[in-house]
Amino acid sequence: MTARDFLWCALNLMLDDEEELAGLCPTCRERAMEERCAACGVPLALAEGCVNAGFDEAHFLSLKRGEAVD
């Protein structure tokens, strides 16, 4: 397969996913778009270990605003 063929396949897979989502009601669409565990289906936001305990959100937001780092 050429790079063009791979791109065509990837694009059509994305379009198929969008078509499937378009056929759902807003509640089901939101649930379908949640990241879930591939094995058990539990939303990853609820799974243990999904939060980086070392992440400093205040520091991140200050960097995002372009403030100088101390």
Side-chain angles (χ1 to χ4, degrees), residues 11-35:
L11 179 62
N12 279 290
L13 286 171
M14 290 172 56
L15 291 173
D16 290 344
D17 289 345
E18 284 185 18
E19 283 181 15
E20 277 187 46
L21 290 173
L24 299 174
C25 71
T27 304
C28 291
R29 186 177 311 122
E30 184 177 324
R31 185 162 186 247
M33 292 176 64
E34 287 179 344
E35 292 186 24

Side-chain angles (χ1 to χ4, degrees), residues 31 33-38 40-48 50:
R31 185 162 186 247
M33 292 176 64
E34 287 179 344
E35 292 186 24
R36 295 182 168 271
C37 174
C40 67
V42 170
L44 291 179
L46 301 177
E48 185 177 323
C50 289

